[in-house]
Amino acid sequence: MGQRPPIMINRLDAERLQRLIDNAADKDMMVAELLEEELTRGEVLDPQDIPDDVVSMNSQIRFTDLTRGRQMIRTLVYPHALDSVEDGISVMAPIGAALIGLRVGDVIEWPLPNNTEVRLRIDAIFWQPEREKQFHR
């Protein structure tokens, strides 16, 4: 796995993500461990200090899977919100976990459960709660 770009995480997101990790089922353990690594290495900031170009929870983003040459638009959500968000991707899904805290233009190499890797690039953030002053969603 290549070097990962630095990441920033909203303090409230970090607390909620830690609870998800602590309560992860066996089937989600790989993603939970990777997500915990990201929380450990990430810079945790108060919600109002998150820059506009950082992927936070509930952000709608456009990203490119450079491995497969596919561009997608998804909203990064907690698992319980998947059914209510049409373009949702769970932060507990392998690709969802890779996106948290990245900035527009960042590229990350991320392991997948089938012993392969994916390279993802953040292309744009269409909506971000912090940018809209929704700090406690």
Side-chain angles (χ1 to χ4, degrees), residues 1-7 34-35 37-38 41 102 107-111:
M1 188 164 43
Q3 186 166 353
R4 296 180 186 169
I7 61 172
L34 288 166
L35 199 51
E37 283 178 28
E38 293 299 272
R41 76 179 190 87
L102 295 176
V107 174
I108 192 167
E109 293 178 8
W110 195 258

Side-chain angles (χ1 to χ4, degrees), residues 72-102:
M72 293 165 265
I73 296 173
R74 297 285 185 270
T75 299
L76 186 62
V77 298
Y78 294 101
H80 71 269
L82 261 181
D83 291 340
S84 61
V85 178
E86 187 176 320
D87 66 350
I89 184 169
S90 171
V91 72
M92 290 301 285
I95 289 179
L99 301 172
I100 190 75
L102 295 176

Side-chain angles (χ1 to χ4, degrees), residues 41-52:
R41 76 179 190 87
E43 181 182 0
V44 178
L45 301 171
D46 286 332
Q48 60 271 20
D49 296 330
I50 295 289
D52 291 351

Side-chain angles (χ1 to χ4, degrees), residues 63-74:
F63 65 96
T64 301
D65 175 340
L66 297 168
T67 307
R68 293 171 187 82
R70 275 184 52 199
Q71 196 171 71
M72 293 165 265
I73 296 173
R74 297 285 185 270

